[in-house]
Amino acid sequence: MAPVTAHGGEGAGEEMYALVERLYPLCRSITGDGVRATLDIVGEYIPLQVHEVPTGTQVLDWTVPQEWNIRDAYIADPAGHRVVDFRASSLHVLGYSVPVSATMPLSELRAHLHTLPDHPSWVPYRTSYYKPEWGFCLAQETLDALPDGEYEVRIDSTLADGHLTYAEHVVPGQVADEVIVSCHVCHPSLANDNLAGIAVAAFLARALAQRSPYYTYRFIFAPGTIGAITWLARNAERVELVKHGLVLACAGDPGSLTYKQSRRGDAEIDRVMRHVLAASERPHHVAEFTPYGYDERQYCSPGFNLGVGSLTRTPYAGYPEYHTSADNLDFVSPEAMADTLAVCREAFAVLDRNRRYLNLSPYGEPQLGRRGLYDALGGRSDTKQAQMAMLWVLNLSDGEHSLLDVAERSGLPFDTVATAAGALHGAGLIKA
């Protein structure tokens, strides 16, 4: 992993980890009070506009489901001891389980139990959102130790008409065109997927608010799939403002960074992320788009086809701990989250400054010395590089090439190119 600089938020790493620690015990799902409690905590870091969408609302081809809430759940053995206990971990209950109160033999109970035989000490994460079902998740070694007999089974949950909850945070920009940053808030006690993404998103929003960004940045905290679909349905008329986007997930594990490109493959966010990751010399991987994964597949569905990519460290299902109790607080680190945050900040700094300019003195090379441009570079350690950046910007400022084009063609750092463009613009030699 590349070293984390102060600009990238070294101190923020510990703060992000502390946020993950606070969120970890909460039982989240695609609806319910766990989502609201999560957003309440995130709202202590950045102001949120919370939206409640009623059960039964048609959202594109989907319908907002009933709201699920749970108070307690357990399996008690013949001696009355809780051998599986929701209070110990929210992963122990199949997500969206219907209520149950019964006594049954172990032979009958087994049909409702989920384990991971290949990882006998881990508890799996399982759900049944759209099919009425109940069940428990437990370690295989726990199941193997259960004696035959009658077991008390209790799930104190409710499925009733209510709401789907999601939230937005907007960092105003100089223009109305938007960059969306999206992360899902529906997973229970899974630290990397996706509490680390939530934490990085919140601290990225705080970092952007400290400057005056060019684009307006809209952060979306929504349940996976149904939440993004609901947001798109409710924003279909204004979605044309979305020029770029990034889905954040799996942002805190020890793996190297992976950027999954948008459906377009050549969207500006794709080019920016490829450039930033390559220029940073971090170990990384760039993956082609596939219609499976996180909510990039909703934003990139053919009717919308937005320029939205996805940034993770190890991708979904790419690590054994994925969707298990091993995706815990020990699996994520402040350093990894700080590194993910730093890359996001670097990418958006490029995106915000990537303009096309027009050379106002295109016939021959304008005299830079009499405009004081050479003198302004005299004290720089990279004077030669800065001079070359000016020449490249002047040459490619034909209204068709962006500053990212200039940086890639010249091999110069984007920051050097953007600084040169700023100096030339100030001298009246180019215009946006």
Side-chain angles (χ1 to χ4, degrees), residues 117-399:
D118 291 343
H119 297 282
S121 64
W122 297 357
V123 177
Y125 164 55
R126 299 287 185 268
T127 63
S128 183
Y129 294 141
Y130 301 105
K131 178 183 176 183
E133 184 58 273
W134 66 267
F136 289 86
C137 299
L138 65 160
Q140 181 67 44
E141 60 188 21
T142 300
L143 176 59
D144 292 342
L146 296 181
D148 289 332
E150 294 291 310
Y151 285 78
E152 180 188 358
V153 180
R154 170 78 167 163
I155 297 178
D156 183 11
S157 64
T158 55
L159 266 172
D161 287 353
H163 296 83
L164 178 146
T165 309
Y166 72 92
E168 296 175 284
H169 171 80
V170 176
V171 180
Q174 299 170 33
V175 297
D177 290 344
E178 292 187 358
V179 180
I180 60 171
V181 179
S182 180
C183 56
H184 56 281
V185 296
C186 52
H187 285 15
S189 298
L190 301 173
N192 195 44
D193 181 19
N194 184 46
L195 297 181
I198 294 170
V200 169
F203 278 76
L204 177 59
R206 289 174 65 172
L208 289 169
Q210 293 173 3
R211 58 182 178 86
S212 178
Y214 177 74
Y215 289 109
T216 293
Y217 286 82
R218 183 177 299 273
F219 289 78
I220 303 168
F221 300 87
T225 306
I226 185 65
I229 286 171
T230 299
W231 186 88
L232 286 164
R234 289 165 59 91
N235 291 274
E237 294 182 356
R238 56 177 303 281
V239 78
E240 63 183 21
L241 290 173
V242 177
K243 304 304 179 185
H244 320 283
L246 193 63
V247 171
L248 283 174
C250 300
D253 68 80
S256 57
L257 286 157
T258 296
Y259 175 70
K260 176 182 172 183
Q261 299 186 115
S262 72
R263 179 177 181 268
R264 299 179 192 174
D266 62 350
E268 190 171 346
I269 188 67
D270 299 327
R271 293 190 60 208
V272 167
M273 289 303 304
R274 292 195 301 261
H275 175 82
V276 166
L277 287 169
S280 73
E281 299 184 347
R282 290 175 172 88
H284 70 277
H285 174 64
V286 176
E288 296 294 329
F289 174 80
T290 63
Y292 184 74
Y294 293 113
D295 284 327
E296 69 277 357
R297 69 189 196 270
Q298 312 306 334
Y299 301 117
C300 294
S301 55
F304 295 107
N305 197 27
L306 299 176
V308 177
S310 173
L311 183 66
T312 63
R313 302 196 73 84
T314 308
Y316 55 87
Y319 51 98
E321 298 85 355
Y322 180 77
H323 280 192
T324 78
S325 58
D327 184 353
N328 55 34
L329 294 171
D330 293 331
F331 186 63
V332 298
S333 71
E335 294 79 14
M337 284 185 279
D339 188 54
T340 307
L341 174 62
V343 168
C344 291
R345 293 183 65 172
E346 291 164 20
F348 288 166
V350 173
L351 193 66
D352 250 12
R353 294 180 292 168
N354 190 31
R355 306 275 185 283
R356 285 179 171 82
Y357 288 92
L358 186 65
N359 189 338
L360 299 179
S361 183
Y363 299 101
E365 181 182 306
Q367 189 176 7
L368 302 181
R370 71 178 175 85
R371 292 176 170 87
L373 292 171
Y374 281 147
D375 292 340
L377 301 174
R380 294 178 55 143
S381 60
D382 62 342
T383 300
K384 176 82 171 164
Q385 191 179 67
Q387 290 175 353
M388 286 301 300
M390 285 191 181
L391 296 178
W392 272 107
V393 171
L394 284 168
N395 192 270
L396 292 181
S397 289
D398 52 9

